[in-house]
Amino acid sequence: ARTAEAIVEVSFGGWPVGVAMASVLLAERRHRHNHRTSERRRDDFPKIGHFDTWKVDSLQSLVLMNHDLILYPQWVNASDFRHTAEHFNNVPLHSRELDTALRNRCEQLLQDMQRKIDEEHQRAIRSRRRQKTSSTTSKPVAKPRTAKFKLTMDQLELCETMGTQLPFLPFTTPEEKQLFNQCAASLMHKDDHEMA
């Protein structure tokens, strides 16, 4: 018997997809697996011939409303349940302390970025003033922009999933790895509470 990881590797391993698409593919794979398992192992589970279970939910609701009859007695209408905040794909696993530390660091980085933007803007204004005295025509200085992180679509997806402003990514450069090793070696308890 193959493991779920091997099946996913064979199914999607060579696809160049991002984080969001990978989550969607895994959700679809999980849905199909659960549906096939229900068809094989649950007594009287209807074999509908497709995986679009929300269509069966709609049909069941319509038949019940119009004819007061349950079309598939063993079918559970997932559409009838209340939506919750529970996630099944990427879920945040970091502690509150680490989250607070990351939020504080993000605020600090954004303030530093904004300070540099404001300084550049002030230099541009002074430069325009000097040019204005020597020339009769001059372009107005553009409004200063607001500091924000430049992230890829994958990084934005990770931020949204984790509820953070910056994604948690693996260390890649030798400097990052060395800094992490120094931080980890200086702590007696090596968990994310202490690392924060």
Side-chain angles (χ1 to χ4, degrees):
R2 292 188 297 179
T3 63
E5 291 85 7
I7 293 170
V8 169
E9 176 66 30
V10 169
S11 301
F12 312 121
W15 291 12
V17 298
V19 175
M21 186 62 176
S23 294
V24 170
L25 289 172
L26 289 173
E28 180 66 18
R29 170 80 180 87
R30 183 178 54 251
H31 171 70
R32 288 173 180 239
H33 171 77
N34 289 342
H35 189 81
R36 281 191 200 110
T37 301
S38 292
E39 284 181 345
R40 280 194 313 266
R41 305 209 175 184
R42 288 173 58 193
D43 292 336
D44 299 327
F45 188 85
K47 291 181 175 35
I48 57 175
H50 59 81
F51 299 103
D52 300 335
T53 54
W54 52 91
K55 291 180 180 178
V56 178
D57 291 352
S58 297
L59 179 64
Q60 177 116 311
S61 296
L62 283 171
V63 170
L64 182 63
M65 184 175 63
N66 292 332
H67 303 288
D68 201 28
L69 175 71
I70 296 176
L71 191 59
Y72 300 113
Q74 296 299 321
W75 187 266
V76 176
N77 273 12
S79 303
D80 291 345
F81 290 101
R82 181 172 52 95
H83 290 285
T84 65
E86 187 176 18
H87 294 282
F88 292 102
N89 288 330
N90 299 322
V91 294
L93 297 175
H94 58 281
S95 67
R96 288 179 196 222
E97 291 85 359
L98 186 58
D99 186 68
T100 302
L102 182 63
R103 286 182 194 283
N104 293 340
R105 181 67 177 136
C106 287
E107 289 304 317
Q108 181 185 19
L109 288 172
L110 287 171
Q111 288 173 3
D112 292 346
M113 290 166 61
Q114 190 63 50
R115 193 175 311 111
K116 288 180 185 176
I117 290 170
D118 293 342
E119 288 170 2
E120 288 174 13
H121 185 69
Q122 291 302 320
R123 276 195 298 274
I125 289 174
R126 285 192 298 272
S127 174
R128 293 274 187 223
R129 285 182 185 154
R130 282 192 295 266
Q131 289 175 357
K132 207 175 206 184
T133 57
S134 64
S135 141
T136 56
T137 60
S138 128
K139 293 163 93 181
V141 176
K143 290 182 181 178
R145 63 186 198 281
T146 304
K148 62 181 178 180
F149 297 117
K150 293 180 181 178
L151 302 173
T152 65
M153 294 299 287
D154 283 343
Q155 291 169 339
L156 288 170
E157 175 69 21
L158 288 172
C159 289
E160 184 179 328
T161 302
M162 300 301 157
T164 58
Q165 289 180 299
L166 287 174
F168 292 108
L169 297 172
F171 302 114
T172 55
T173 66
E175 294 83 14
E176 290 173 330
K177 292 176 183 178
Q178 186 178 12
L179 180 60
F180 176 78
N181 288 338
Q182 289 172 354
C183 289
S186 68
L187 296 173
M188 290 176 30
H189 304 288
K190 296 169 179 66
D191 64 2
D192 62 354
H193 297 281
E194 297 282 334
M195 296 291 275

